[in-house]
Amino acid sequence: MPGLSDERHERFQRLYEEHGEAVLRYARRRTTPEAAEDVLAETFVVAWRRLERVPAEPRGWLLAVARRVLANQRRGDTRREALIAKLALLPVRDAPPEPATGSPLTEALTRLSAGDHELLALVHWDGLTPREAATVLGC
């Protein structure tokens, strides 16, 4: 039914044109300009997915969605900062030394495909099992 799809797109377009700036201003008062752009985008992704639930007077609904997006953003930032702090406490594992140029090992490694080289690195340097390495490589 192309008519229904067109109506949906038109409604969403009007929603964005009429309320996008208000959502962006709301987000900018509460976060960085870059993060505010992300809040605007995520708010309207939610609006698109739930367009049939958007009320006739949508501004309050959109700002409530933006508020939840901001809260999720803050929780993610907090988790990321905690992880960074935790990782900073871990001992640094030195990367394996690169073989000397011209050595048989270096020559053998340069003949490998990028995928085979990555596989060897995952198993040898990162300590993964072949099955884990295959998962990382999407095999």
Side-chain angles (χ1 to χ4, degrees):
M1 295 199 297
L4 185 59
S5 179
D6 292 342
E7 288 174 21
R8 182 176 172 80
H9 282 94
E10 288 173 17
R11 179 165 185 229
F12 180 79
Q13 184 69 32
R14 276 193 319 276
L15 187 68
Y16 183 81
E17 288 171 358
E18 292 173 8
H19 303 286
E21 277 301 314
V23 171
L24 186 58
R25 281 191 310 270
Y26 175 86
R28 281 184 177 157
R29 287 192 305 271
R30 288 160 175 80
T31 191
T32 65
E34 298 81 19
E37 293 286 337
D38 291 342
V39 170
L40 173 67
E42 187 63 29
T43 298
F44 278 92
V45 165
V46 171
W48 174 256
R49 288 182 186 148
R50 299 180 181 165
L51 195 56
E52 65 283 346
R53 291 189 230 156
V54 175
E57 296 297 324
R59 186 173 303 223
W61 186 89
L62 288 167
L63 295 182
V65 170
R67 183 173 184 267
R68 286 189 292 281
V69 169
L70 280 162
N72 288 339
Q73 209 178 58
R74 285 188 195 107
R75 280 192 296 277
D77 290 345
T78 300
R79 285 191 301 269
R80 189 172 19 268
E81 289 166 8
L83 178 59
I84 289 169
K86 189 182 283 187
L87 290 174
L89 299 174
L90 294 176
V92 176
R93 185 174 170 197
D94 292 332
E98 290 293 322
T101 304
S103 75
L105 180 56
T106 301
E107 290 175 23
L109 286 173
T110 60
R111 287 192 299 265
L112 292 175
S113 70
D116 287 342
H117 192 275
E118 179 67 9
L119 176 63
L120 280 175
L122 288 168
V123 172
H124 179 71
W125 291 327
D126 296 312
L128 299 182
T129 66
R131 182 178 300 258
E132 291 168 329
T135 300
V136 170
L137 296 173
C139 300

